[in-house]
Amino acid sequence: MIDVKPSENVNLYNLDFYFNELIDLYNKKKMPNKILLSGKKGVGKSTLAYHLTNYILSENEEFKYNNDRFYINEKNRSYKLVQNKSHPNFYLLDLLNDKKNIHISQVREMISYTNKSSFNDKPRIVLIDNIDTLNINSVNALLKIIEEPNKNIFFILIHNNEKKILPTLKSRCLIFNIHISFNECLNICNLLLNKKLIEVINLDLINYYNTPGEFIKLINFASEKEINLNKYTLIKLLNLLIDNAYYKKNKYVKKLLINLIELYFLKEYKISKTKNSFLNIYHYFIEKFHNAEKFNLDDESLFLEFKLKLLNG
C-alpha cells in the first residue's frame, strides 16, 4: 500500500510554481487571508496546502521547511504537531468519516477556535478541505468569520472543481486553479511508486484525465483485493468490479466504477460507426448513474444492466 495522505506527504511534486507564487505573496506580506485552491480531486491541492502551512509555521524552527527541495523535514516540530493534531496554530475542518456534508456544528467549533486568544505571535492557519460539501447554512456561518477574521489568521480552502460552490464564497477568495499535464501526472506517479506507472497498470486502464491521487487509490485498492492490474484490460476490470459487487457500501469503488464506465464509453465512441446512437446510450446510462448517486438509489440493477447490454451484449 502506498500512503499518500496529504498531511504526511513530505515531498511536493510538480506544484513548485504554485508554491513559489504563494510564498512570494506571504514573504511580501501580500498574501490574502482567504485562499481557494481549486482543481481535480487527487491533483495535490491538499498536499500543497500542508506544505504552505509548514513553510509558514516552521519559519523560525531548527528544521524549517526546505524550499529549495520543496521538502518537509520529518524532524520539524510543526510537522510533528500537525500529525498529532496538537498544533496550537493549525486547525483542520474536513468531512467526518462516512458523512456527506461538513456539518454546521463543525463550522461553529472552528469559529470558536478563531475567537480564542493565540498562544503565541505566529500566524494561525485554518485549512478547510472539501468545501464543496458545505451546505448553505454552513457556508453562511463560514462567511461571517472569513469576512472579518481575527488578526493574523489565514484561511486555506480546498475545492474539488468538479463540484459547484456558492459564488458568495468563491468571490471572497484569491483563487489558484491547480492543474497538471498528463506527463506531469505520470512523473508524479512514477516518483510516488518509485517505478513507472505503466509497469503497474495495464495501458488500457490509463485515463488521460486521471490525477496522481486517483491512480494511487486504484493501485491501493487492487493491492488490497490482490488484483494484478497489469493483467486486467478495461472490460475485464469492469466485469470483475460488477461481478464481485465491490461497489456495495464503498463510495470510492462506486466512484471508480462510474469513472471506468465513462472511460469505456470514451474508448468505444472513438471506434463506433453509429456515433449518434452510441451517444444516446451513453447519456441514458450516465444520467441514471448520476441520479442514483444524487438520490441515494440502489444502483446494483443499473450496473448489471450496463454489463448485460454493453460488456456482454
Side-chain angles (χ1 to χ4, degrees), residues 116-140:
K116 290 177 182 175
S117 299
S118 176
F119 289 96
N120 50 53
D121 59 357
K122 290 181 180 179
R124 283 191 283 171
I125 296 173
V126 176
L127 175 58
I128 308 177
D129 209 342
N130 295 295
I131 63 157
D132 34 276
T133 64
L134 290 165
N135 60 32
I136 184 87
N137 293 327
S138 298
V139 169
N140 287 335

Side-chain angles (χ1 to χ4, degrees), residues 13 43 57 65 97 104 154 211 272 308:
Y13 298 126
V43 79
L57 297 182
Y65 187 87
N97 288 339
I104 191 168
F154 295 95
T211 61
S272 173
L308 180 65

Side-chain angles (χ1 to χ4, degrees), residues 1-53:
M1 298 284 283
I2 303 153
D3 191 356
V4 287
K5 286 183 182 176
S7 63
E8 297 175 7
N9 200 337
V10 296
N11 293 293
L12 183 68
Y13 298 126
N14 286 85
L15 296 176
D16 45 299
F17 169 79
Y18 302 103
F19 182 79
N20 284 331
E21 286 275 306
L22 287 162
I23 65 169
D24 185 57
L25 288 171
Y26 176 76
N27 290 332
K28 290 177 179 176
K29 302 189 183 307
K30 292 182 178 180
M31 191 168 87
N33 57 18
K34 302 174 283 289
I35 292 171
L36 176 66
L37 304 180
S38 181
K40 281 198 71 178
K41 196 80 173 172
V43 79
K45 305 180 300 296
S46 296
T47 299
L48 175 62
Y50 276 103
H51 276 247
L52 175 62
T53 297

